[in-house]
Amino acid sequence: MTQSELEAFLAVVRCGTVSGAAQQLFITQPALSRRLGVLEEELGYPLLQRGRGRRSVELTAQGRAFVPVAEKWLAIWQEVKDLISGLQAQYPDLKSK
């Protein structure tokens, strides 16, 4: 599970469409669909109901339950980035390692 996969999922949740999420993330729809597919495969269940000819996507029950987990996961990643940045500012020698 990667940060980009979680961001892709949450972008679709916010936008309600794969095309809107792809535009927001500046990637193609096929690239976004691949990220979602990898995430769903890793989790072992579908997060979204989507089909040909449908503009919007719907969250599955598992998808609805996964939204707060994905949000927390990204928040923790941001905390780690902030911590590392703060430590690097405080201890400049850490940047070279």
Side-chain angles (χ1 to χ4, degrees):
M1 188 172 317
T2 66
Q3 182 177 357
S4 64
E5 292 164 3
L6 293 172
E7 288 171 343
F9 169 66
L10 291 175
V12 172
V13 170
R14 282 190 301 274
C15 293
T17 65
V18 173
S19 61
Q23 287 178 343
Q24 182 183 24
L25 296 171
F26 303 104
I27 61 174
T28 64
Q29 282 181 268
L32 179 62
S33 292
R34 276 191 301 276
R35 288 182 188 179
L36 294 171
V38 168
L39 180 60
E40 289 175 327
E41 186 174 319
E42 186 173 341
L43 292 170
Y45 50 80
L47 297 169
L48 304 165
Q49 293 178 345
R50 49 197 181 274
R52 290 196 173 272
R54 293 178 60 188
R55 284 186 143 300
S56 63
V57 295
E58 291 182 32
L59 289 170
T60 62
Q62 297 95 333
R64 283 190 298 279
F66 189 68
V67 169
V69 174
E71 290 170 338
K72 287 177 195 173
W73 204 312
L74 288 179
I76 289 169
W77 257 325
Q78 189 59 51
E79 278 187 57
V80 170
K81 285 181 182 178
D82 294 344
L83 176 65
I84 291 169
S85 294
L87 288 172
Q88 287 176 338
Q90 191 173 359
Y91 303 101
D93 292 340
L94 289 176
K95 289 182 183 179
S96 63
K97 295 182 181 177

